[in-house]
Amino acid sequence: MKFLNFKIPHSLSLLSPRRTYSFSSQKTHLNKHPLSRKTFFQSNTKDSLISHLCDQKRLREAVQLLSQIDQPPSASIYSNLIQLCVQHRALEEGKKVHAHTKASGFVPGVFICNRFLDMYVKCGSLRDAQKVFDEMPERDLCSWNTMISGYAKVGKLDEARNLFDEMPERDNFSWTAMISGYVHHAQPKEALNLYRMMLRHENSKSNKFTVTSALAASAAIPNLRMGKEIHGNIVRIGLDSDEVVWSALSDMYGKCGSIGEARHIFDKMVDKDVVSWTAMIDKYFEDGRREKGFDLFSEFMRSGIRPNDFTFAGVLNACADHAAEDLGKQVHGYMTRIGFDPFSFAASALVHMYSKCGSIEDAKRVFKGMPRPDLVSWTSLIAGYAQNGQPNEALKLFELLLKSGTQPDHITFVGVLSACTHAGLVDKGLEYFHSIKEKHGLKHTADHYACIIDLLARAGRFGEAEDIIDKMPMKPDKFLWASLLGGCRIHRNLELAKRAAEALFEIEPENPATYVTLANIYATAGMWGEVAKVRKAMDDKGVVKKPGLSWIEIKREKHEFLVGDKSHPKSHDIHNFLGELSKRMKEKGYVPDTNFVLHDVEEEQKEQNLSYHSEKLAVAFGIISTPPGTTIRVFKNLRTCVDCHTAIKFISKIVQRKIIVRDSNRFHYFEDGSCSCGDYW
C-alpha cells in the first residue's frame, strides 16, 4: 500500500507538530514512539484527522485516508464524509465511502442510510439510491420522502407515485413533492387530483409550498374554478398573508384569463418585489392589453424598485410586437442611465425591438455595442435586415456569424431563408437549405420547409416545390400550404392552388385567408362562378373575412382605419386629399389594379373600392397631419395589396415623403417612387 503523507495540525498532533508522518499497513514511523501503533489507532486520532480534512473540504484525501483504516470510524465521520460528497456531487467518492462501511463491518442505522439515499439522489444515481432503500431493514418518513422527491424531480413519476402509494404515513413534504413533480413535468390534472386527495386526508394540512404548486397546476390547465377553490382554502388556513402565495395567486388568475382578479391580488400585496411587478406587467401584455401593461410599467418606474433584465426584456418585446418604438426608445434611455449589462439578454431584446420596429440602424448600433453578441442578437438582426428590405446585408451578417464561431440554430436559418425569399435568391436559398443538415448537422424543421416552398413558389418553380413537399419527412403544415397558395396567386397556377387550398381547408377550415386568396385567384382569371362558390362556402361555414386594419401614431395618439372608413374626425379631409392624389397619380401613369377585387362589378366601381383601402387612408391622414418631409409610418394587420403597394410608390414620389408600411409579412420602405422590397413580396 502506498504511503499517504500529510502534516498533522498542531491541535491534533500527539508528537512533535513539525514532524511528517506516513500511515501504512506495513510500515510507520510511529513505531518509534512510546505509544504503540495499536494504541495510536485505537485513539480518536484517525477520526480527528478525517474530520479535519472534511473541514478543509479535502474530500479525496479524506476518502483515501479512510481506505487505509481497517476499523470503522464513528458514525459522525461517515456522516461528514457523505455530506461532503453531496456538496461536491462526488458520486465516485461517495461509492467508496459506502463500500468502506460494508468492508469494515459497520452497520449503518436509519440516519446514515438516509444520508446515503440523499447522496445518491443528489448525485443523479437513482439506481444506487433504490438499492440502498430496498436493503434498509428499517425506514422512516425521511427515507420515503427522499426517494419520492428524487424520482419526481427527474420526471419518473410512475416510480414516485408507486412509492407514494406504498408509504405507511405521509407528511406535507410527501404531498408537495408529488404534486410539484406532476406540475413541473406537465401533468397538471394529476397534480390537482392529488391535491384534492390531500384535502380529504385527515392528517394533511397545506403549506405554502403545496398551495403554490396547486395554483401552478390550475394556471397550467387553466382551471379558474379550481384556482378559486384553492384561493378559498388559502384564506381558511391563514396563508393569505404570505407574499409567495400572493404572487402565485396573481399568476394563477392572470393565466386563467382573470386579469382583474390578478391585479386585485397584486394591489393588495404589501411588499411587491421586482418579480411581482414584472409578472403583472407581463400578464397584461400576454392578454393583449398593451396600454395597461405600459401604464403599469410606468408606475413601476416610479416605485423606486429597480427593474431587472426580465422586466426590460418583457417590455421591449411588447414594444416590438406592437411597434411601439417611441416607448422602446424611452426604455432604452432609462437602461442607459442606470447602466445595463451589455452582455445581458436585455441588450438582445433591444436589438429585437429596433429590428421589429423597422429602425434597423438603431438595431445595428446596439448590436455593435455588445462585446459578445449572443445568438438571439445575431438572429434578430439577420431577420431585421431581411424584413426591412436589406436581404443582402442579412446574408453578409450570417457569414460574419459563422466566422465568429457562433453556431446558428434553426431559428437563425428561418431568417436566412427569409432573406433569400425577399431577394429572390432561389439557388442561394436552396444552398442554405441543404447546408442546414449537411454542413451544420441540424434537422430541417417545418418552418424551414415553409420558407423554401415560399421561395420556390414565388419564383414559379412549382415542380421543385412539389418534389420537396412529396419527400418531406413530416406532414406539411398550414404555413407551408399558405406559402404555396401565395405563390400560386402570383403566377396564377389554378391547379396547384386548388391542392393547397384543399389541404388548408382540412387543417384550418375557419381561416378566412384561404378562402379570400383562392377567390382572388379565381377573380383574376375571371371565373366569377367559382368566386361565388367560394363566397357561399364561407357563408355556409360562418367564416368571416378579417377586415383590413391600418393604424398610424401621431403625437403618441393611435389612429385606426378600416376600408372605406368615415368615422375619423378628419374623414372629410382625408377623402378629399385622396381624391386629389388619385388625379395626380393617374397623370403620372398610375393604373388601378382591379384584378383582385372580388365583386363582378363595373370597372369604375372596382376602382372606387380600391381607393379607400385602410393603408391609403392611414397614409393620407399621416401626410395631412404632419409637416412636409416627415416620415410616415403605417402598420397593417394583413399583407398590403398589390394596388395599394403600387399607389403608395406613386404617392411617395408626388408628396416627396418617405413612407414606411409594416404589413403582416415585412416592412416596405417607399421613397421617390420605389419600394425596398423591389416589388417582390
Side-chain angles (χ1 to χ4, degrees):
M1 179 180 290
K2 291 183 179 179
F3 289 94
L4 176 67
N5 297 314
F6 56 90
K7 289 186 178 180
I8 302 175
H10 181 70
S11 60
L12 300 177
S13 177
L14 297 179
L15 305 174
S16 169
R18 296 180 180 274
R19 188 175 299 171
T20 300
Y21 298 97
S22 300
F23 293 91
S24 170
S25 60
Q26 299 173 3
K27 181 179 179 182
T28 178
H29 297 301
L30 288 172
N31 290 332
K32 298 178 181 179
H33 191 268
L35 286 175
S36 70
R37 179 176 183 273
K38 181 177 180 181
T39 304
F40 178 83
F41 278 110
Q42 282 178 337
S43 71
N44 289 328
T45 303
K46 59 183 183 295
D47 282 21
S48 299
L49 292 173
I50 295 172
S51 179
H52 178 72
L53 289 170
C54 287
D55 289 341
Q56 292 188 330
K57 311 296 183 184
R58 294 160 66 179
L59 175 61
R60 290 186 179 179
E61 294 170 67
V63 173
Q64 190 176 353
L65 176 57
L66 178 70
S67 69
Q68 297 181 30
I69 300 173
D70 296 330
Q71 296 298 317
S74 65
S76 65
I77 294 299
Y78 277 129
S79 178
N80 289 340
L81 283 166
I82 298 167
Q83 184 61 25
L84 195 56
C85 290
V86 171
Q87 291 173 6
H88 290 274
R89 297 297 189 263
L91 180 60
E92 291 308 311
E93 282 75 13
K95 285 183 175 182
K96 289 176 183 177
V97 175
H98 191 191
H100 191 272
T101 63
K102 295 180 178 180
S104 66
F106 177 81
V107 180
V110 174
F111 177 78
I112 295 298
C113 285
N114 284 344
R115 283 281 193 177
F116 278 121
L117 282 179
D118 182 57
M119 179 200 72
Y120 281 127
V121 165
K122 288 179 177 174
C123 290
S125 183
L126 284 169
R127 180 180 297 177
D128 287 311
Q130 185 66 55
K131 188 176 180 182
V132 172
F133 183 81
D134 292 339
E135 292 174 352
M136 289 175 70
E138 183 184 352
R139 303 167 185 141
D140 63 7
L141 191 57
C142 179
S143 316
W144 290 91
N145 283 343
T146 300
M147 290 304 301
I148 290 167
S149 176
Y151 278 125
K153 282 180 179 177
V154 299
K156 293 188 174 184
L157 298 174
D158 290 340
E159 291 88 340
R161 186 58 186 266
N162 288 337
L163 287 170
F164 180 84
D165 291 339
E166 290 174 14
M167 65 191 305
E169 61 173 324
R170 306 182 184 101
D171 63 3
N172 282 338
F173 185 91
S174 318
W175 291 99
T176 304
M178 200 66 239
I179 291 169
S180 64
Y182 280 131
V183 172
H184 292 145
H185 295 282
Q187 296 189 39
K189 290 183 179 179
E190 287 78 1
L192 289 179
N193 288 336
L194 195 60
Y195 178 72
R196 291 188 184 98
M197 185 190 301
M198 187 198 75
L199 293 180
R200 293 193 297 269
H201 201 274
E202 292 180 4
N203 298 324
S204 298
K205 183 180 179 182
S206 299
N207 59 25
K208 69 177 181 179
F209 304 107
T210 321
V211 296
T212 52
S213 292
L215 288 169
S218 297
I221 292 177
N223 186 331
L224 181 59
R225 183 183 61 78
M226 187 62 195
K228 287 186 174 182
E229 288 181 19
I230 299 168
H231 188 178
N233 184 49
I234 287 168
V235 174
R236 284 192 296 275
I237 62 179
L239 285 174
D240 52 338
S241 61
D242 188 278
E243 291 296 316
V244 174
V245 175
W246 275 116
S247 181
L249 269 171
S250 178
D251 187 61
M252 179 276 296
Y253 279 119
K255 288 180 178 175
C256 288
S258 186
I259 302 296
E261 288 283 359
R263 181 61 187 269
H264 176 70
I265 297 292
F266 174 80
D267 288 339
K268 287 180 68 176
M269 293 172 68
V270 178
D271 297 318
K272 301 182 185 73
D273 60 9
V274 63
V275 176
S276 307
W277 281 98
T278 301
M280 190 66 232
I281 291 166
D282 286 345
K283 287 184 189 75
Y284 277 127
F285 291 139
E286 288 165 7
D287 196 52
R289 300 173 69 174
R290 163 196 168 188
E291 294 302 329
K292 284 283 188 181
F294 290 149
D295 288 345
L296 187 61
F297 175 68
S298 298
E299 187 179 331
F300 177 35
M301 302 287 274
R302 296 190 296 270
S303 72
I305 301 172
R306 181 167 173 158
N308 61 19
D309 287 344
F310 293 98
T311 319
F312 289 133
V315 175
L316 289 170
N317 286 333
C319 291
D321 292 339
H322 297 283
E325 185 183 0
D326 286 345
L327 180 60
K329 283 184 174 180
Q330 291 178 39
V331 175
H332 186 186
Y334 179 81
M335 291 168 66
T336 303
R337 286 195 298 276
I338 66 171
F340 71 98
D341 183 0
F343 290 92
S344 70
F345 56 85
S348 299
L350 270 174
V351 177
H352 175 68
M353 183 274 294
Y354 280 124
S355 295
K356 290 280 283 184
C357 289
S359 295
I360 202 69
E361 288 303 315
D362 287 322
K364 182 179 177 181
R365 193 157 34 249
V366 174
F367 180 85
K368 284 190 171 182
M370 299 173 72
R372 286 195 301 274
D374 60 8
L375 184 58
V376 174
S377 303
W378 283 99
T379 301
S380 294
L381 193 55
I382 288 169
Y385 276 130
Q387 293 176 343
N388 284 275
Q390 299 182 50
N392 292 323
E393 290 298 320
L395 299 182
K396 286 179 185 176
L397 188 63
F398 177 67
E399 294 301 329
L400 286 176
L401 180 151
L402 296 179
K403 290 177 182 176
S404 74
T406 304
Q407 177 64 33
D409 65 6
H410 70 281
I411 300 175
T412 313
F413 277 105
V414 171
V416 171
L417 293 173
S418 296
C420 293
T421 300
H422 292 314
L425 301 173
V426 183
D427 293 331
K428 190 71 175 174
L430 285 167
E431 181 185 327
Y432 281 127
F433 177 77
H434 293 304
S435 76
I436 292 172
K437 187 175 182 180
E438 296 169 2
K439 185 177 178 181
H440 298 281
L442 301 171
K443 290 184 179 180
H444 285 124
T445 67
D447 289 336
H448 297 152
Y449 279 105
C451 285
I452 203 66
I453 295 305
D454 190 24
L455 176 62
L456 291 168
R458 285 169 182 270
R461 292 165 64 164
F462 294 110
E464 293 168 78
E466 287 190 279
D467 187 53
I468 288 176
I469 292 171
D470 293 338
K471 293 178 180 177
M472 281 176 63
M474 63 195 76
K475 190 175 180 181
D477 64 9
K478 61 183 181 181
F479 300 106
L480 183 147
W481 289 118
S483 296
L484 185 63
L485 185 61
C488 292
R489 178 186 63 80
I490 295 169
H491 297 281
R492 305 181 183 184
N493 187 326
L494 279 171
E495 289 305 312
L496 199 52
K498 289 178 184 176
R499 178 187 174 187
E502 286 170 4
L504 285 167
F505 289 146
E506 187 175 328
I507 296 171
E508 45 175 9
E510 75 290 345
N511 188 350
T514 307
Y515 297 89
V516 172
T517 304
L518 185 60
N520 278 334
I521 295 171
Y522 284 135
T524 305
M527 301 170 67
W528 296 107
E530 295 300 320
V531 172
K533 288 180 183 178
V534 173
R535 294 183 68 84
K536 185 176 185 304
M538 290 179 71
D539 292 339
D540 292 344
K541 295 177 181 178
V543 177
V544 179
K545 179 183 179 295
K546 187 178 181 180
L549 174 69
S550 297
W551 64 95
I552 184 172
E553 287 194 9
I554 304 291
K555 296 180 180 178
R556 298 187 182 179
E557 185 179 352
K558 186 177 179 181
H559 301 263
E560 295 182 345
F561 298 91
L562 294 169
V563 61
D565 201 338
K566 293 185 178 181
S567 62
H568 194 275
K570 289 194 174 182
S571 177
H572 181 73
D573 296 336
I574 294 168
H575 283 250
N576 283 345
F577 182 66
L578 277 176
E580 294 173 10
L581 273 180
S582 180
K583 293 176 185 176
R584 295 177 65 184
M585 285 158 56
K586 287 179 179 178
E587 291 172 0
K588 299 287 185 180
Y590 163 70
V591 178
D593 188 337
T594 60
N595 284 327
F596 299 115
V597 178
L598 294 185
H599 301 283
D600 185 15
V601 295
E602 294 298 324
E603 200 70 17
E604 185 178 341
Q605 181 61 47
K606 289 183 182 180
E607 290 186 21
Q608 187 70 17
N609 292 343
L610 289 171
S611 297
Y612 303 106
H613 276 190
S614 64
E615 56 264 62
K616 289 177 183 171
L617 295 172
V619 167
F621 174 69
I623 294 170
I624 65 174
S625 303
T626 57
T630 305
T631 298
I632 306 298
R633 293 175 182 267
V634 170
F635 303 89
K636 187 177 180 182
N637 63 334
L638 305 175
R639 290 177 72 164
T640 190
C641 75
V642 175
D643 180 72
C644 284
H645 190 270
T646 303
I648 297 172
K649 285 198 296 182
F650 276 93
I651 293 171
S652 71
K653 189 174 182 65
I654 291 170
V655 300
Q656 289 295 293
R657 297 281 194 109
K658 185 176 183 179
I659 302 171
I660 302 172
V661 178
R662 191 184 96 171
D663 66 10
S664 61
N665 191 49
R666 62 170 297 161
F667 279 91
H668 298 268
Y669 290 80
F670 298 94
E671 190 170 17
D672 198 29
S674 63
C675 180
S676 59
C677 73
D679 298 337
Y680 194 85
W681 83 102

